[in-house]
Every structure is written in C-alpha cells, then in structure tokens.
Amino acid sequence: MLLIALALVVAAAGIGAWVYYDKSRGGEAAAQPQAKPGKGRGGKGGDGGPIPVAAGTAQAGDIPIYLSGLGTVVPMRTVVVRSRVDGELVRVNFTEGQYVKEGELLAQVDPRAFQVQLDQAEGQLIKDKALLANARIDLERYRTLFKQDSIASQQVDTQAALVQQYEGTVRTDQAIVDNARLQLSYARITAPISGRLGLRQVDPGNIVHAADANGVVVITEVQPITVVFTLAQDNLPAVMQRVKANAKLAVEAWDRGFKVKLASGELVTVDNLIDITTGTVKLKAKFANGDLALFPNQFVNARMLLDTRKGVIIIPSAALQRGSQGSFVYVVKDDSTVSVRPVKVGPSDGERVTVESGLAAGERVVVDGMDRLREGAKVQVGARR
C-alpha cells in the first residue's frame, strides 16, 4: 500500500509540472507580436527596397594585349676562367664579386719555366739561322765556281738542298719560339669577357692545371642580360605573326609576386621547337639591366606586349559574370533597374576586359553587389564596397 501511495504522489507532481510548462509557453507565445509578411527577398533588409550596388561605365578606348609566362634570368655569356698552362698560381689580382673588363689581368701563374723554354727556343733559332746564312754563302760560291767549270754540278745541287734543309729547320725553330712565347703569355690569366666575377675557386700557392674542372673563377656577363620564359603553344601563331612582321615586342620582367616591375626590354627570338611534355615554347628577351635588378638564375614573371586593341568597348573585369549560357553582365537602366545582358568578351589586361558585342559605350554595369540581383531588380547605385 505504501508503494502505491508513493507512485500516485509522483504521478500527480509530473502532471502538475506539465500543465505549468504548457501555460507558460502559451503565455509567451501570446505575448510575442506577429511578424508581418515580407514583400520580397530582394529588398533591402527584407522590406522590398532597392538593392545597393556599385556600377562602372563601359568606355571606348585602347587596351594592351599581354602574354605572361614564368621565366629565368640567363646571362648573355658565362665563362669558367681556367689556366691554359700547368704551374703554380703565384698571384690573384681580383676580388670576389668584382666587375672586370675583357683582357684585364686576373691571376698569374709562375712564368719562369716558360721563360726558360722561350730562351732555349730562341737560342736554337739563332744557331740554325747562322748555319742557314753560311750555307747560302757556300751556295753562291759554288755557283760561281760552276760557271768557271771548276766544280761539278752535283756539288752545287747538294749545297742548294742543304740550304733548303736549313730553311726548314729555321722555320721549325721559329714555330717553337712562337709556341714558347704563347705559353709564356698564358701564364697571365686574363678575363676573356667583361662581366661580374664569382667566388674564387683556388688560392695562390696551389698548382693549377689546364684540365681543372672548376677553374680559377667564373665570369657572368650581366649587362646586358636575358630572360628565357615560356608561353603556351596556343599563343605561338600570334607571336610568330608579329615576329615575321619584324615588330619589336616589348617585354617586362616582374618579381615572383607580380607586384614590382624589375626591368623593361624587348623580345630577341623564339625557340625552334615546342616542348611536347608541357605544350609550351621558349622565348628569349634582352634587358639592358643598368641597375642590376636582374640576377643570373633569378625566377621572374615575364609579360610581353603582343598588340594593342584600339577603339574597343572596355568594362571592369569585376562586372563580368559567367553562367551556363555564357558570359553576361548586369546593365543598370535609366529607371534604376537591372537587366541581364549576354556579352561576347575579348582580351583582358587583368583589371579590364574588352567586350566584342552586346554592350555599348556609356552603359553602366554592376561591378559589386550582384549576388542578390535578378532580371528587373530595383537597385541603388553607390560607392563600391
């Protein structure tokens, strides 16, 4: 009996709590005001007002057509300066990073061994020249005696052959002297081109060889300098058409973020084949690089001015929308409503785009706030957010 009574008490408490909760909800709901039906989703704040947008004006003007590609700065010439003779490096006349001119002395190999060889060769040349001179005198004497019928003709012929032999010996000696003098000149290591020196590869006191792979130092020609960049093969016909017309195509070198222009130059040449693995073709542009803004092996963005379209309709790129039916814009009409206008677009320079058809100069197009627009929507044109 005690358990039954306890169960009845718990049940009564639960029923009372539910009745109290239901009355409380009913009271709160009654106290809340009824929401008024809205006049449309497109209105400002849901009240059917105009939609705030920003607009730009289609203008007739000129627009440059640029082609861009990733490029690498390549020196005009790079030379590994090596010794052309074997010997001890006794002096280095340059500092790392120095700019040198062609023919400037960079280092000196011990010249004494080459000087000795030159002296020996010159001594032998003097000796053989004296023998040649004596043989010629004897030949003239024999010819005189032969005319007097004092000697046989064979002796004259033998002496003439001896003179020719000595002439050959002297010519060989002269070549040996010239070679020795050349080897002596090679002891002076000079700059083969003008440019900037890299890090020194060998210190004085070491024995250098003509076969050393690293050489003494590397020179890179950085003024002028080139940029090798790639473009898609689809752009090749238009580029080659301009190249065949002998047009000078301006090329700009920009940093990797496309924020800072580093240098301006012009196109030099186009490669003779397409890379089948990437579908791109290489192009080379030349830059004066007077301020040394371009550094060898630096990665840059190259932008080439292919052509300039004149008298075309131009709109901000932000106004262009794309859908399943193609490209379109929202045109703001005189009654502050918008109309969806299909357009055919042309080249773009990034911030602006040309319109081939579908839009006239002077018409206003929405550039911001078009996410809630629809055909015939009422708009309020203001400043761009």
Side-chain angles (χ1 to χ4, degrees):
M1 294 296 294
L2 181 60
L3 293 175
I4 295 175
L6 183 59
L8 291 175
V9 171
V10 172
I15 293 173
W18 180 83
V19 172
Y20 177 78
Y21 175 73
D22 184 63
K23 289 182 178 181
S24 298
R25 288 192 61 192
E28 291 177 0
Q32 292 179 356
Q34 295 294 323
K36 296 181 180 181
K39 295 182 180 180
R41 295 180 59 190
K44 182 178 180 180
D47 59 357
I51 303 173
V53 297
T57 304
Q59 299 177 344
D62 303 338
I63 188 169
I65 302 174
Y66 287 101
L67 300 177
S68 300
L70 185 63
T72 305
V73 179
V74 180
M76 290 288 292
R77 290 183 291 178
T78 300
V79 176
V80 179
V81 181
R82 297 182 176 92
S83 173
R84 302 184 69 172
V85 293
D86 298 347
E88 179 185 355
L89 188 67
V90 295
R91 188 169 66 252
V92 171
N93 291 4
F94 65 87
T95 57
E96 296 170 329
Q98 174 185 349
Y99 288 88
V100 295
K101 295 182 178 180
E102 182 178 351
E104 188 173 340
L105 180 64
L106 300 179
Q108 177 73 58
V109 177
D110 188 356
R112 291 175 296 178
F114 308 106
Q115 184 63 55
V116 169
Q117 294 175 4
L118 176 60
D119 294 341
Q120 290 176 342
E122 288 178 338
Q124 185 65 41
L125 175 61
I126 293 173
K127 175 183 176 181
D128 292 336
K129 279 184 175 180
L131 293 175
L132 174 60
N134 183 66
R136 284 174 175 171
I137 294 173
D138 288 344
L139 178 60
E140 291 301 322
R141 183 181 301 115
Y142 291 164
R143 284 174 176 171
T144 302
L145 293 173
F146 175 72
K147 290 179 181 179
Q148 298 175 356
D149 200 19
S150 299
I151 60 175
S153 61
Q154 181 179 0
Q155 190 172 356
V156 177
D157 295 340
T158 301
Q159 188 63 29
L162 182 61
V163 169
Q164 291 181 351
Q165 178 182 342
Y166 283 145
E167 286 177 345
T169 302
V170 168
R171 181 172 294 185
T172 302
D173 292 342
Q174 185 62 57
I176 295 174
V177 169
D178 293 340
N179 181 67
R181 187 174 288 117
L182 183 62
Q183 298 304 310
L184 180 60
S185 68
Y186 286 160
R188 299 178 75 255
I189 302 176
T190 58
I193 63 172
S194 299
R196 183 175 184 270
L197 299 177
L199 302 180
R200 186 175 68 247
Q201 301 298 316
V202 62
D203 297 323
N206 287 283
I207 301 298
V208 294
H209 303 276
D212 290 342
N214 295 329
V216 178
V217 70
V218 177
I219 303 180
T220 54
E221 184 178 357
V222 295
Q223 291 178 324
I225 204 166
T226 65
V227 171
V228 177
F229 61 100
T230 57
L231 292 177
Q233 63 179 359
D234 296 340
N235 298 318
L236 188 58
V239 174
M240 293 307 299
Q241 183 178 2
R242 298 285 290 161
V243 171
K244 291 178 181 178
N246 295 323
K248 293 185 177 181
L249 302 181
V251 181
E252 299 173 346
W254 292 71
D255 65 348
R256 296 186 67 176
F258 241 121
K259 297 180 180 179
V260 179
K261 186 171 77 169
L262 303 176
S264 298
E266 64 179 30
L267 184 69
V268 175
T269 186
V270 181
D271 200 1
N272 60 352
L273 50 84
I274 294 174
D275 188 343
I276 60 175
T277 60
T278 61
T280 59
V281 62
K282 292 181 180 179
L283 298 91
K284 179 184 284 188
K286 183 178 180 180
F287 299 83
N289 200 30
D291 57 356
L292 301 176
L294 299 178
F295 201 82
N297 292 343
Q298 176 184 3
F299 288 104
V300 296
N301 284 299
R303 190 173 73 159
M304 183 176 67
L305 178 59
L306 180 64
D307 199 358
T308 300
R309 298 286 297 275
K310 299 182 179 296
V312 294
I313 304 300
I314 304 172
I315 62 172
S317 298
L320 187 63
Q321 302 292 304
R322 290 179 173 82
S324 58
Q325 302 300 320
S327 301
F328 65 93
V329 294
Y330 288 104
V331 179
V332 181
K333 298 190 293 188
D334 294 338
D335 59 356
S336 295
T337 61
V338 295
S339 174
V340 178
R341 183 82 58 82
V343 293
K344 180 181 179 181
V345 297
S348 172
D349 65 355
E351 296 182 355
R352 303 179 302 166
V353 62
T354 60
V355 177
E356 303 287 349
S357 62
L359 203 61
E363 291 188 289
R364 294 187 301 170
V365 292
V366 178
V367 298
D368 192 15
M370 65 277 288
D371 52 335
R372 294 185 297 165
L373 295 182
R374 64 185 185 279
E375 177 70 31
K378 194 79 171 179
V379 296
Q380 179 180 359
V381 179
R384 189 172 184 178
R385 296 174 292 180

